[in-house]
Amino acid sequence: MSKGDGTVTLAESGTKNAVELPVMSGTVGPRVIDIQKLYGDMGVFTYDPGFAATASCQSRITYIDGEEGVLLHRGYPIEQLAEESDFTEVSYLLLNGELPTAAEKMQFQNDVARHTMVHEQLTTFYRGFRRDAHPMAVMVGVVGALSAFYHDSTDINDPHQRTVASFRMIAKMPTIAAMAYKYSLGQPFIYPQNHLNYAENFLNMMFSVPCEPYRINPVLAKAMDRIFILHADHEQNASTSTVRLAGSSGANPFACIAAGIACLWGPAHGGANEAVLKMLEEIGTVDRVPEYIKRAKDKNDPFRLMGFGHRVYKNYDPRAKVMQRTCHEVLDDLGLHDEPLLKLAMKLERIALEDEYFIEKKLYPNVDFYSGIILRAMGFPSSMFTVLFAVARTVGWIAQWNEMIADPQQRIGRPRQLYLGPTRRDYVPIGTRG
Ligand code: CMC
């Protein structure tokens, strides 16, 4: 392949088969080769398992420079948003492209707050689940069922319905998540309180009970808000790509978000924060860290250091640094600075960062490394960790889904394959099969 001026020429050696392909530049980041005409002109597909070198869409929402450890939402660095902004503003930013004015923020807050309750009949839906069901299983089911409750916002060709569906999803996710938790405990569901902000309202629905007052700890509410900001969007990750792919067929937004939740559940993605905590508990004491580092490096052992490594970041995940700071703030406030799991995590991080294997493979702590410790200290059971990720990521999914629907180039997502199975053969009746 040779580079021309704004094009590359792809030529098959030993033949006259060649094609000139346009090169496209974004505002920042690597250029991309537009291969849409490749099959038509040359009769070949590209092969890219895991889409590691494939730009699946154009987007104006989030930019990541994995080599430098940079994450920007609509151009704003994640560190600045996490320190100076709040989740409502970041949600508005992701959805609309600009930070809101004070009036716009108030309006947006009110628009979302109007939708925080769920259809009362949805509460009976929960009762169909076993009490010991994993809350992510409940989330997939209940969010998928929203399209059965809100028919009036499932027409994706109507911009008003799309807006209403967006507000509904962002508003109802904390309510649905907290209900999943309350159901597992056998406690009554707590209705949303619209005078509270997004994070406070969620904590209240999670931890208050009708029989006594619940005081929202401002340090924990701030930490919750920051955790939501840090997870709000992450460009074309697995669950976002799932939402886009599901949406590309014209499926309604509730069904698309349910698909995203299902994808997020996996331990290589959103399930990692739960897996980190399980791993730290399994390691147990600082003196066993070297044994687990050794296992993580052993090719014949499936064990991986959870919370380490990232498909895109080959540097410290910028979200992990904010998360580490937040972790110390929360544990200090709760008087848990001597928490053994935190000490263990810090030791593990230090040893891994100095280890040749991790240095060579550029494996750094990711956003999930510290989040589990914070969430556990705040009182969340580990089965709820990925649910919190889903609550926060909903706005990112919605922003990306809206962008896709509005994109004139949008087509149904339909990858091709390199077929390695049998070629055509004739059916053999069962009695004559050897
Ligand atoms: N521990 C030990 N070795 C690792 C790890 C790890 N956590 N992560 C990657 N490697 C090794 C891997 O064995 C491979 O080695 P080799 O080249 O010798 O075969 C090399 O590093 C590259 O790994 P990969 O699996 O090809 O990389 P990937 O981009 O496909 O996977 C990942 C990225 C995040 C799935 C992976 O690093 C991983 O499984 N990490 C642990 C799970 C985790 O923390 N996930 C959360 C990601 S951040 C939040 C989110 O996206 O939801």
Side-chain angles (χ1 to χ4, degrees):
M1 196 178 281
S2 65
K3 275 190 192 143
D5 188 18
T7 60
V8 294
T9 306
L10 180 71
E12 192 174 353
S13 53
T15 72
K16 289 196 172 142
N17 210 2
V19 64
E20 197 153 317
L21 299 166
V23 176
M24 295 159 71
S25 300
T27 47
V28 60
R31 293 172 304 156
V32 303
I33 301 166
D34 179 350
I35 58 158
Q36 289 182 82
K37 296 213 159 56
L38 186 62
Y39 178 62
D41 289 358
M42 214 177 172
V44 296
F45 297 135
T46 56
Y47 181 60
D48 183 21
F51 311 121
T54 296
S56 61
C57 61
Q58 300 184 12
S59 183
R60 291 177 166 76
I61 302 173
T62 292
Y63 172 73
I64 301 173
D65 181 337
E67 299 299 326
E68 296 297 323
V70 170
L71 168 60
L72 309 177
H73 290 321
R74 303 284 191 182
Y76 296 102
I78 189 67
E79 297 87 344
Q80 290 181 22
L81 293 172
E83 284 305 323
E84 296 169 45
S85 184
D86 60 41
F87 185 65
T88 301
E89 272 197 353
V90 173
S91 298
Y92 185 97
L93 175 69
L94 288 170
L95 291 166
N96 299 295
E98 295 296 337
L99 287 166
T101 62
E104 285 166 342
K105 184 175 177 185
M106 175 97 68
Q107 180 66 48
F108 179 70
Q109 226 155 0
N110 289 341
D111 287 340
V112 171
R114 194 170 308 146
H115 295 286
T116 50
M117 288 201 301
V118 293
H119 193 293
E120 197 60 20
Q121 215 175 312
L122 205 69
T123 59
T124 57
F125 198 84
Y126 279 82
R127 302 194 204 291
F129 292 103
R130 284 171 54 138
R131 296 259 178 208
D132 61 354
H134 194 288
M136 281 300 276
V138 176
M139 294 299 289
V140 174
V142 173
V143 175
L146 289 181
S147 45
F149 286 87
Y150 300 102
H151 304 280
D152 59 340
S153 53
T154 53
D155 179 357
I156 64 157
N157 298 313
D158 178 345
H160 175 69
Q161 292 201 27
R162 293 209 300 268
T163 304
V164 173
S166 303
F167 287 149
R168 279 186 168 146
M169 217 106 57
I170 294 163
K172 291 181 200 309
M173 280 298 269
T175 314
I176 291 169
M179 285 169 78
Y181 177 56
K182 288 297 191 190
Y183 182 73
S184 74
L185 296 179
Q187 288 184 3
F189 299 137
I190 303 292
Y191 283 108
Q193 294 290 330
N194 288 346
H195 66 279
L196 300 174
N197 73 28
Y198 199 82
E200 291 167 346
N201 179 41
F202 181 57
L203 291 177
N204 187 60
M205 288 188 292
M206 280 289 300
F207 298 120
S208 72
V209 286
C211 51
E212 60 187 39
Y214 171 70
R215 193 188 73 84
I216 297 165
N217 177 332
V219 175
L220 302 196
K222 176 80 197 147
M224 188 78 263
D225 193 75
R226 205 177 275 160
I227 290 170
F228 284 157
I229 293 175
L230 293 177
H231 288 92
D233 191 49
H234 214 226
E235 55 119 299
Q236 309 312 319
N237 57 85
S239 58
T240 302
S241 299
T242 301
V243 170
R244 279 188 179 254
L245 194 57
S248 76
S249 72
N252 75 69
F254 303 106
C256 296
I257 300 300
I261 295 172
C263 176
L264 186 75
W265 194 358
H269 192 8
N273 49 15
E274 185 177 347
V276 169
L277 211 72
K278 276 197 190 129
M279 175 189 76
L280 291 175
E281 279 164 352
E282 189 186 313
I283 298 174
T285 50
V286 168
D287 58 301
R288 294 188 68 200
V289 168
E291 178 195 329
Y292 279 82
I293 296 270
K294 196 167 160 225
R295 282 188 61 194
K297 299 193 297 189
D298 183 352
K299 278 240 160 289
N300 301 316
D301 189 329
F303 175 76
R304 281 188 170 199
L305 219 50
M306 300 314 287
F308 264 78
H310 198 276
R311 168 60 62 80
V312 181
Y313 292 119
K314 302 303 168 199
N315 201 324
Y316 217 109
D317 179 341
R319 302 167 302 170
K321 285 189 185 151
V322 182
M323 204 60 100
Q324 189 194 44
R325 265 202 314 280
T326 309
C327 188
H328 285 289
E329 279 169 26
V330 167
L331 295 186
D332 281 350
D333 184 76
L334 296 174
L336 297 172
H337 23 254
D338 287 331
E339 163 68 45
L341 279 193
L342 178 65
K343 288 199 166 139
L344 186 57
M346 286 168 62
K347 173 87 173 174
L348 188 63
E349 182 186 9
R350 204 165 50 246
I351 293 185
L353 286 174
E354 287 166 0
D355 191 286
E356 198 45 49
Y357 172 93
F358 289 86
I359 294 171
E360 191 210 316
K361 294 192 186 304
K362 299 188 176 171
L363 298 170
Y364 291 85
N366 59 49
V367 68
D368 289 323
F369 191 66
Y370 280 101
S371 63
I373 299 172
I374 312 179
L375 294 173
R376 197 173 89 143
M378 288 170 76
F380 291 98
S382 53
S383 60
M384 282 297 288
F385 295 174
T386 314
V387 175
L388 302 195
F389 195 156
V391 170
R393 183 56 58 86
T394 295
V395 67
W397 289 331
I398 293 284
Q400 300 269 353
W401 176 83
N402 272 315
E403 183 178 63
M404 180 194 69
I405 299 291
D407 183 350
Q409 290 195 22
Q410 190 268 323
R411 305 167 73 193
I412 186 167
R414 184 21 177 122
R416 304 305 293 255
Q417 63 173 6
L418 174 65
Y419 177 69
L420 299 176
T423 54
R424 187 192 184 286
R425 49 184 172 164
D426 288 327
Y427 178 80
V428 181
I430 193 160
T432 55
R433 279 173 222 160

